[in-house]
Amino acid sequence: TRRGDSGTLCVSPAGLLWQLRPSDVEVELLAHTRDVVSRDLPAETGLHTGWVENGGLFIASNKQRLDEYKRLMSLGKVYGVESHVLTPSQTKDLYPLMNIDDLYGTLYVPKDGTMDPAGTCSTLARAATARGATVIIENCPVTGIQVRTDDFGVKRVHAVETAHGTIQTPCVVNCAGVWARALGRLAGVRVPLVAMHHAYVVTERIEGIQNMPNVRDHDASVYLRLQGDALSVGGYESNPIFWEEVSEKFAFGLFDLDWDVFMQHIEGAVNRVPVLEKTGIKSTVCGPESFTADHKPLMGEAPEVRGFFLGCGFNSAGKRELRGSCIHTWIWMRRPWAHPDIAISLPSRRFHHSLTDNNRWIRERSHESYAKNYSVVFPHDEPLAGRNVRKDPLHEELLRQGCVFQERHGWERPGWFNPGGAAPVLDYDYYGAYGRQRHGDYTYNRLLGDEYTFDFPPHHDIIKKECLTCRNALALFDMSYFGKFYLVGPEATKAADWLFSADVSKAPGTVLTQGCVSWRGSGLLFRLCRAEPAQPSPLRDGYYLAIGGAVAQHNWSHITTVLQDMKFQCKLLDCSEELGMMSIQGPLSRVVLQEVLDTDLSNEAFPFSTHKITTAAGCQVRAMRLSFVGEMGWELHVPRADCVKVYRAVMEAGAQHGITNAGYRAIDSLSIEKGYRHWHADLRPDDTPLEAGLAFTCKLKSSIPFLGREAVEAQKAKGIFRRLVCFTTEEKVPMFGLEAVWRDGKVVGHIRRADFGFAIDKTIAYGYIRDPAGGPVSLDFVKSGSYELERMGVTFPARAHTKSPFDPDNKRVKGFY
Ligand SMILES: Cc1cc2nc3c(=O)[nH]c(=O)nc-3n(C[C@H](O)[C@H](O)[C@H](O)COP(=O)(O)OP(=O)(O)OC[C@H]3O[C@@H](n4cnc5c(N)ncnc54)[C@H](O)[C@@H]3O)c2cc1C
């Protein structure tokens, strides 16, 4: 515990704690935070942390906003967070000083409250000291970090140079807030955050405000927090001030408030609580705060140097979610697996290394994330900032054909195809802030805006056509944004045995589609096959891996870390940018591809789950027979320069068979229909293969040791206490995830991923369920219940499936129609 770290907490944060967020992980973290400050710390220390339970009120000025709140209300039930939707007049009864003329409704969370930063920090420090923590040196600037390269060629922290001398240590945690970039530079580590001014003002006394709940008026982008008998007012403006030259000597400093920028919050606040117009401002608090590209913190080991951890970039929520430097450090040092957000948020895994030193990208995305912090989180929204950074070889070709791209990990990947023509993403206009010319109404922006709904999106029928063409004829999916790696070297097989839960000793030519990389018994899904001494990459021996582009860096970091720790004599090579990847799927894929590929595609010569090097349109390609949509099909992994040629040859051959381009919106629907798991939604670091129904990816019948084997075996012996279940609803109702799952009248979990399945013509939803009595969740338990899914406070009868509702016998992928 360093008091220097917590010192800033004492002067700057507003201390608001809202428990409901559009993320299950954050809801869980916030509930935990609330328990710690309101219950655990006082019980442990006998001290009051300053927690005030005055409740929280979310304001909705329109239907969509209230719909979003109703989604949060349903999710809250899963975590025991009580909330109520109030009418405007009920809101007035609760908060008499509020203007309700423009209110559509509100969401009231009685157990939200206000933390006292100073009280929380000193109580924490007291608790830590009582448990043996010692404050060794205060006010001790770090002036240098010594990094050494070990025998394996890996950079590791060796020592820290300070004003009080050098400290030898293998581990440093960079909790330097807006100064984290500078501190990172001392170790050669890139810290992708920007510094901005962030502010609130405190009013004079307001008669009648005592005990009122805190207010978050999202549509006005403003919050009003109770401060004794006054209010503090702050928000997220569209034109935040970047702190360009971060001064070394500013710790505990405050800026003068720029009223031209802040005035928008005053206007919003006066509209909501009119008495403020006649109330004076007692003080202003404008401090430096760090913001990141996705408004989430940077936590975990940096990719460049082992032993150098980040704990920074808190996006004005440094304390709200227990992310204050002391507390989150404790969480991830002691229990790195406890919260998936923490694992997913690892800096090394979240942002591709080409983005972490791309200042334009970091700045644009951080600005957009800040300005949209209070916007409704719609399921199909995409950023407009930092686009067109990574383009695959088919980008221009598909753009001309109306491709509407999604942004993932810097990549532009196909979302869906607009029959109305091209929809390029223009350069970021900062929404007209800083005197920039705002783009007028342009196609991409308009298409995106049309989808701002919690109903079926207006492009539902276009996605349906892409899906059904794939089910009835064939579709081509450009999946080039995938990460493509080679694991090579004398100990590649030994390393693959250890890294992957699946049995990698299968005959050359086999493809493992669900080869889990195990980490505490959980996994990542990808294609894995033994690479032969041939094109596209002339390697002697090893494995070829293809992994979803959004988690490619995450996988890369995980695998290289394990290789380093185990000292395996092998390397991971990245050829993601050198290869494109297109997947041709559907009952007619064989007849079309037979015209393009120089190899026999019959079931006998090219069975499901095998791969070959062959030629297509005269170009050498790796063809893999597998599917992520539940159809017969092949993936072609093609050298970058040949991608357009191969693509055109396939489209030409497919024209008379009705081939269509299709994007990831179709993949999402088709794959959920077939029951294929998505990493990040169906499967995260806090899930295990057994819970996710992926036991078959673990080589437990063999005696081969693998990373996580003990955890999987222990869980198998103990039983499974939560399980991923597939649900369908008869009523065609849009669901997107976060809906509550009811079983026999009790909430037993929530939906992680949902979509509409066009072939079965039903809404499909996947979620983990538990037994409220605490028992194991067997298949009989799943089958015996009566289920409902709650969406925005309304329940819909649902059926639980223990097998995929589409092609449960897996015939289509094997070519039997
Ligand atoms: C106006 C305002 C309102 C806010 N409201 C809220 C809120 O309501 N809820 C909430 O949760 N959060 C809020 N925040 C955000 C919260 O205050 C921050 O996220 C949190 O303080 C960040 O903590 P930190 O420890 O990461 O960084 P800091 O508190 O900035 O601490 C960084 C420390 O690193 C030290 N340092 C820098 N360089 C070195 C070096 N070379 N060697 C050693 N030490 C170094 C600095 O001196 C400093 O003490 C608000 C912030 C502001 C500005």
Side-chain angles (χ1 to χ4, degrees):
T1 305
R2 290 175 52 241
R3 285 204 201 127
D5 286 348
S6 53
T8 316
L9 282 167
C10 302
V11 294
S12 65
L16 299 152
L17 191 137
W18 323 90
Q19 295 173 86
L20 292 179
R21 303 270 303 164
S23 147
D24 55 343
V25 172
E26 293 193 32
V27 172
E28 204 175 343
L29 272 170
L30 285 160
H32 181 59
T33 305
R34 195 187 157 283
D35 288 347
V36 171
V37 294
S38 67
R39 191 191 61 198
D40 301 348
L41 271 176
E44 186 168 330
T45 60
L47 299 172
H48 183 39
T49 61
W51 167 251
V52 179
E53 199 162 286
N54 55 321
L57 198 54
F58 284 3
I59 305 296
S61 313
N62 53 62
K63 177 179 180 306
Q64 278 174 337
R65 183 66 81 176
L66 197 64
D67 282 351
E68 184 183 45
Y69 295 163
K70 288 179 184 170
R71 270 167 65 73
L72 302 185
M73 179 179 68
S74 292
L75 178 65
K77 290 180 188 170
V78 181
Y79 293 99
V81 181
E82 178 192 345
S83 67
H84 308 273
V85 172
L86 304 185
T87 62
S89 66
Q90 287 170 323
T91 308
K92 186 83 180 170
D93 291 343
L94 180 73
Y95 202 123
L97 291 178
M98 185 171 288
N99 162 33
I100 58 161
D101 293 351
D102 57 348
L103 271 201
Y104 192 83
T106 55
L107 184 74
Y108 176 50
V109 185
K111 296 213 164 90
D112 277 358
T114 315
M115 292 165 66
D116 169 27
T120 303
C121 285
S122 52
T123 316
L124 259 178
R126 184 77 71 89
T129 312
R131 286 185 183 212
T134 321
V135 178
I136 303 173
I137 311 168
E138 292 187 52
N139 296 324
C140 178
V142 173
T143 51
I145 294 171
Q146 294 176 18
V147 173
R148 296 219 170 140
T149 306
D150 68 14
D151 297 344
F152 204 62
V154 180
K155 287 183 177 166
R156 294 180 187 275
V157 168
H158 174 69
V160 175
E161 292 160 8
T162 77
H164 295 266
T166 300
I167 305 164
Q168 213 158 318
T169 171
C171 177
V172 174
V173 186
N174 181 352
C175 291
V178 292
W179 299 275
R181 277 193 105 158
L183 198 68
R185 273 196 294 272
L186 295 179
V189 168
R190 299 191 292 241
V191 182
L193 55 77
V194 291
M196 292 184 192
H197 294 204
H198 188 58
Y200 64 83
V201 299
V202 185
T203 71
E204 301 283 3
R205 183 174 189 281
I206 303 170
E207 190 53 46
I209 206 73
Q210 294 84 350
N211 302 322
M212 288 294 106
N214 296 323
V215 172
R216 218 173 187 186
D217 190 343
H218 286 99
D219 293 316
S221 207
V222 69
Y223 67 78
L224 299 103
R225 174 234 196 216
L226 184 72
Q227 187 139 350
D229 55 6
L231 286 177
S232 46
V233 175
Y236 294 86
E237 53 281 356
S238 52
N239 52 345
I241 300 170
F242 288 96
W243 193 26
E244 307 287 358
E245 304 285 331
V246 176
S247 156
E248 270 180 39
K249 309 255 178 270
F250 203 79
F252 310 107
L254 292 175
F255 303 109
D256 289 335
L257 186 68
D258 184 328
W259 282 101
D260 288 342
V261 173
F262 198 80
M263 219 37 214
Q264 53 197 294
H265 302 315
I266 297 290
E267 283 160 19
V270 168
N271 174 54
R272 194 50 57 221
V273 180
V275 68
L276 283 174
E277 195 169 10
K278 299 194 194 90
T279 309
I281 301 294
K282 193 162 63 185
S283 59
T284 67
V285 178
C286 181
E289 173 65 338
S290 54
F291 292 90
T292 62
D294 56 1
H295 220 73
K296 296 210 184 301
L298 303 169
M299 296 198 278
E301 198 171 29
E304 296 96 338
V305 179
R306 299 295 305 272
F308 192 89
F309 290 82
L310 302 190
C312 48
F314 288 108
N315 296 284
S316 72
K319 170 183 50 56
R320 194 169 67 210
E321 293 166 23
L322 266 197
R323 287 166 178 176
S325 34
C326 323
I327 314 173
H328 71 74
T329 303
W330 175 81
I331 292 174
W332 58 250
M333 296 298 271
R334 293 252 309 259
R335 295 188 300 153
W337 58 86
H339 291 293
D341 197 28
I342 289 167
I344 290 166
S345 301
L346 292 175
S348 53
R349 298 163 189 209
R350 186 151 103 248
F351 301 125
H352 189 252
H353 58 81
S354 65
L355 303 174
T356 53
D357 68 346
N358 182 335
N359 282 336
R360 190 199 114 200
W361 186 84
I362 298 168
R363 191 181 174 94
E364 285 188 4
R365 288 292 290 269
S366 303
H367 171 267
E368 187 177 35
S369 298
Y370 183 97
K372 282 180 76 174
N373 186 30
Y374 274 15
S375 299
V376 180
V377 180
F378 289 108
H380 298 298
D381 199 9
E382 293 291 329
L384 293 173
R387 297 294 298 262
N388 294 317
V389 174
R390 302 175 79 194
K391 294 184 187 173
D392 74 41
L394 294 177
H395 185 89
E396 302 305 329
E397 186 81 10
L398 299 186
L399 185 63
R400 276 195 293 277
Q401 300 184 50
C403 184
V404 180
F405 289 93
Q406 303 174 328
E407 193 273 353
R408 296 293 179 275
H409 219 63
W411 281 110
E412 297 292 321
R413 75 170 194 188
W416 55 284
F417 286 80
N418 173 33
V425 186
L426 303 186
D427 283 349
Y428 188 50
D429 62 3
Y430 283 83
Y431 296 90
Y434 314 115
R436 287 179 189 245
Q437 179 74 31
R438 186 150 192 197
H439 296 308
D441 175 28
Y442 74 101
T443 309
Y444 186 86
N445 205 354
R446 185 167 39 76
L447 292 173
L448 208 59
D450 289 348
E451 297 212 302
Y452 286 174
T453 171
F454 292 109
D455 215 326
F456 284 122
H459 309 118
H460 191 63
D461 285 343
I462 299 173
I463 315 290
K464 173 181 181 177
K465 202 163 163 230
E466 289 181 12
C467 290
L468 292 183
T469 307
C470 177
R471 292 272 182 250
N472 300 324
L474 77 162
L476 185 148
F477 302 90
D478 170 26
M479 298 169 76
S480 300
Y481 93 118
F482 260 55
K484 297 146 215 114
F485 307 143
Y486 282 94
L487 178 66
V488 291
E491 292 189 329
T493 301
K494 206 170 150 192
D497 271 340
W498 176 249
L499 271 164
F500 308 127
S501 63
D503 187 353
V504 297
S505 63
K506 298 241 175 89
T510 310
V511 184
L512 301 170
T513 46
Q514 308 264 26
C516 281
V517 176
S518 49
W519 177 66
R520 199 193 137 257
S522 70
L524 314 177
L525 308 176
F526 50 82
R527 293 119 179 82
L528 171 74
C529 60
R530 201 167 203 129
E532 35 317 79
Q535 291 293 329
S537 187
L539 297 165
R540 272 183 304 107
D541 186 24
Y543 295 85
Y544 174 64
L545 287 94
I547 301 174
V551 287
Q553 182 76 46
H554 181 85
N555 280 262
W556 171 272
S557 302
H558 171 73
I559 295 172
T560 48
T561 302
V562 174
L563 297 182
Q564 290 166 5
D565 288 347
M566 298 297 290
K567 300 195 174 355
F568 287 125
Q569 295 298 312
C570 55
K571 274 192 187 140
L572 196 62
L573 306 176
D574 186 354
C575 57
S576 307
E577 309 271 349
E578 288 138 48
L579 293 172
M581 180 176 155
M582 49 199 104
S583 181
I584 299 94
Q585 301 286 329
L588 302 184
S589 58
R590 179 184 281 143
V591 72
V592 169
L593 286 180
Q594 198 60 81
E595 286 182 39
V596 182
L597 294 177
D598 293 329
T599 190
D600 181 355
L601 297 182
S602 66
N603 269 357
E604 297 68 35
F606 207 144
F608 176 64
S609 207
T610 59
H611 71 112
K612 277 181 189 169
I613 300 285
T614 180
T615 53
C619 311
Q620 201 158 43
V621 303
R622 181 190 298 278
M624 289 191 188
R625 176 150 175 211
L626 49 87
S627 179
F628 196 55
V629 295
E631 297 296 332
M632 175 170 69
W634 281 261
E635 274 177 8
L636 306 181
H637 297 242
V638 186
R640 189 175 184 99
D642 298 326
C643 281
V644 171
K645 193 172 170 199
V646 172
Y647 168 82
R648 287 183 181 164
V650 175
M651 293 307 277
E652 203 179 313
Q656 57 171 313
H657 299 281
I659 195 170
T660 185
N661 283 306
Y664 266 81
R665 291 277 283 277
I667 292 184
D668 287 344
S669 162
L670 293 162
S671 62
I672 199 171
E673 200 165 44
K674 184 68 188 82
Y676 291 140
R677 310 290 192 255
H678 269 200
W679 174 254
H680 218 144
D682 304 312
L683 190 60
R684 302 192 307 214
D686 53 335
D687 309 317
T688 73
L690 303 185
E691 294 163 350
L694 295 173
F696 67 92
T697 65
C698 300
K699 51 194 169 214
L700 293 181
K701 285 191 185 134
S702 77
S703 57
I704 305 166
F706 64 89
L707 183 57
R709 179 170 185 135
E710 286 83 16
V712 178
E713 281 174 338
Q715 189 177 45
K716 198 171 174 204
K718 205 170 143 211
I720 301 168
F721 290 81
R722 60 203 280 278
R723 190 184 280 271
L724 187 63
V725 177
C726 170
F727 299 96
T728 52
T729 60
E730 276 312 311
E731 193 162 334
K732 289 176 191 157
V733 57
M735 292 195 183
F736 306 103
L738 303 186
E739 295 80 10
V741 181
W742 291 81
R743 180 184 181 279
D744 298 339
K746 288 188 179 144
V747 178
V748 291
H750 70 278
I751 296 303
R752 285 271 188 89
R753 180 160 84 104
D755 214 317
F756 195 80
F758 295 101
I760 64 167
D761 201 25
K762 283 187 172 40
T763 300
I764 310 171
Y766 273 80
Y768 285 84
I769 65 163
R770 292 177 186 275
D771 175 0
V777 181
S778 65
L779 287 178
D780 283 342
F781 176 88
V782 173
K783 282 188 234 167
S784 61
S786 164
Y787 294 92
E788 289 172 310
L789 303 185
E790 181 186 321
R791 171 193 186 267
M792 297 180 188
V794 181
T795 52
F796 297 87
R799 191 178 146 201
H801 301 260
T802 49
K803 274 187 157 188
S804 154
F806 178 77
D807 189 21
D809 298 325
N810 239 7
K811 289 194 176 138
R812 297 169 80 100
V813 291
K814 293 182 184 145
F816 302 113
Y817 280 92

